[in-house]
Amino acid sequence: MASVQLGLSATTTNNNHLLKFSLSSSTSFRNTVEFSRSTSAVCSFNKSGICRASQTVELFPSVIPDIVVREARIEDCWEVAETHCSSFFPDYTFPLNLALRFDRVVGLLSGFSVPNGCKRTCLVGVVGGPADDRFLFGSEDFRVGSFEGKFSFNRGYVAGILTVDTVADFLPRKGPLRRRRTGIAYISNVAVRESDRRKGIGKRLVMKAEAQARSWGCRAIALHVDKKNPAATRLYQNQGFRCINVPEKANWPQPRTSPDIHFNFMMKLLTSS
């Protein structure tokens, strides 16, 4: 039986291709959640439309050679805020859209107040930049908020963003003392500019986040996806994520958005390679 850091035990059965997780929750009883390798068996979403204020990803990705995925730098700050706001709040107009961008910049530079022992980084998909930045100045040890203190003379432009962390704010707490989960990375704020969708940027951001989570020693990675966003759900399924059935009446945390948005909780076990 494979052990998972989430407080999960995983077993597989050959006859129905189901992978089961047994999760010990804060209410001192064990709930069994299971997700199927058959995506149609568990994940359900409304095909009538896509929520525009949710993970913005592309369908039918193609190979584009001039895309570089890396950690965000100070020089990317405004473009990260612009990508986030234009993707999640596309209908906002001046002056509210400008105020949202400045608010996002302040949040990014403040560092989001990461608890001790936790990690968080912002990843960016850059179009038009060099694959190997040879002309950088600054220091890797110097950081402002979630940004590296390095600059480049030939940087391209930010087309997609993603945040990955081990803060576990949106993971179920552990035990009666509601301890923070460890060993699980969490993906949030996935967004791609409208003009750069269907280029594989979302897929490469997720792959980079998985690599980052492995470097932190995480055994699993999780996320929430809007049930009305089938394109985003399909992207994560193709990357190996599976929907987890939340136990009935369980009070699991989830992103704080408008009350009419409902989420699927998805998870992927990370291999050592």
Side-chain angles (χ1 to χ4, degrees):
M1 178 174 290
S3 175
V4 187
Q5 197 74 0
L6 174 79
L8 311 172
S9 62
T11 59
T12 58
T13 58
N14 295 327
N15 56 345
N16 55 10
H17 301 286
L18 290 180
L19 182 61
K20 279 192 173 183
F21 280 99
S22 177
L23 172 62
S24 176
S25 69
S26 60
T27 55
S28 299
F29 61 88
R30 298 183 68 83
N31 294 308
T32 299
V33 292
E34 97 180 1
F35 60 88
S36 171
R37 295 190 184 278
S38 172
T39 55
S40 61
V42 177
C43 290
S44 60
F45 42 79
N46 186 353
K47 296 183 179 179
S48 61
I50 297 176
C51 176
R52 300 182 71 183
S54 62
Q55 286 93 335
T56 307
V57 297
E58 65 279 5
L59 194 59
F60 311 122
S62 59
V63 178
I64 303 297
D66 59 346
I67 298 172
V68 177
V69 178
R70 56 168 173 78
E71 286 195 44
R73 303 172 186 149
I74 296 176
E75 61 185 355
D76 303 319
C77 189
W78 180 258
E79 290 186 20
V80 169
E82 167 69 25
T83 303
H84 179 274
C85 294
S86 63
S87 299
F88 289 100
F89 309 101
D91 297 326
Y92 283 39
T93 57
F94 184 84
L96 185 57
N97 60 348
L98 183 62
L100 281 172
R101 284 156 174 74
F102 276 111
D103 180 74
R104 183 63 178 167
V105 168
V106 172
L108 291 167
L109 294 178
S110 67
F112 306 104
S113 65
V114 179
N116 291 334
C118 297
K119 299 179 181 294
R120 174 181 282 137
T121 189
C122 177
L123 302 176
V124 293
V126 179
V127 174
D132 182 15
D133 282 321
R134 299 181 181 273
F135 300 101
L136 288 173
F137 64 94
S139 171
E140 293 182 356
D141 298 327
F142 173 67
R143 301 185 69 91
V144 178
S146 296
F147 294 86
E148 288 185 341
K150 296 189 293 186
F151 299 85
S152 172
F153 292 108
N154 183 19
R155 53 183 297 270
Y157 69 92
V158 173
I161 60 174
L162 178 151
T163 301
V164 59
D165 63 60
T166 60
V167 179
D169 280 341
F170 301 120
L171 298 175
R173 295 290 174 146
K174 184 178 180 180
L177 298 180
R178 298 184 61 79
R179 297 175 182 172
R180 192 181 299 273
R181 298 276 175 179
T182 58
I184 306 171
Y186 184 83
I187 290 176
S188 61
N189 296 323
V190 184
V192 177
R193 291 177 184 264
E194 186 174 4
S195 60
D196 291 291
R197 294 171 192 168
R198 304 191 181 188
K199 296 179 180 179
I201 297 176
K203 177 181 179 180
R204 295 181 64 171
L205 284 166
V206 173
M207 292 174 63
K208 182 71 172 180
E210 293 177 13
Q212 183 69 73
R214 289 190 189 94
S215 72
W216 291 338
C218 296
R219 298 185 182 180
I221 190 166
L223 55 86
H224 284 89
V225 59
D226 184 0
K227 290 184 177 181
K228 293 183 178 180
N229 195 338
T233 303
R234 191 172 297 112
L235 170 71
Y236 298 132
Q237 289 172 339
N238 291 338
Q239 290 297 105
F241 286 81
R242 297 293 179 261
C243 292
I244 292 183
N245 285 337
V246 178
E248 187 177 357
K249 298 183 180 179
N251 186 23
W252 287 16
Q254 62 180 16
R256 293 175 289 272
T257 57
S258 60
D260 60 335
I261 297 179
H262 302 282
F263 295 95
N264 279 323
F265 181 61
M266 304 186 76
M267 179 174 288
K268 176 180 179 179
L269 300 180
L270 298 175
T271 60
S272 57
S273 59

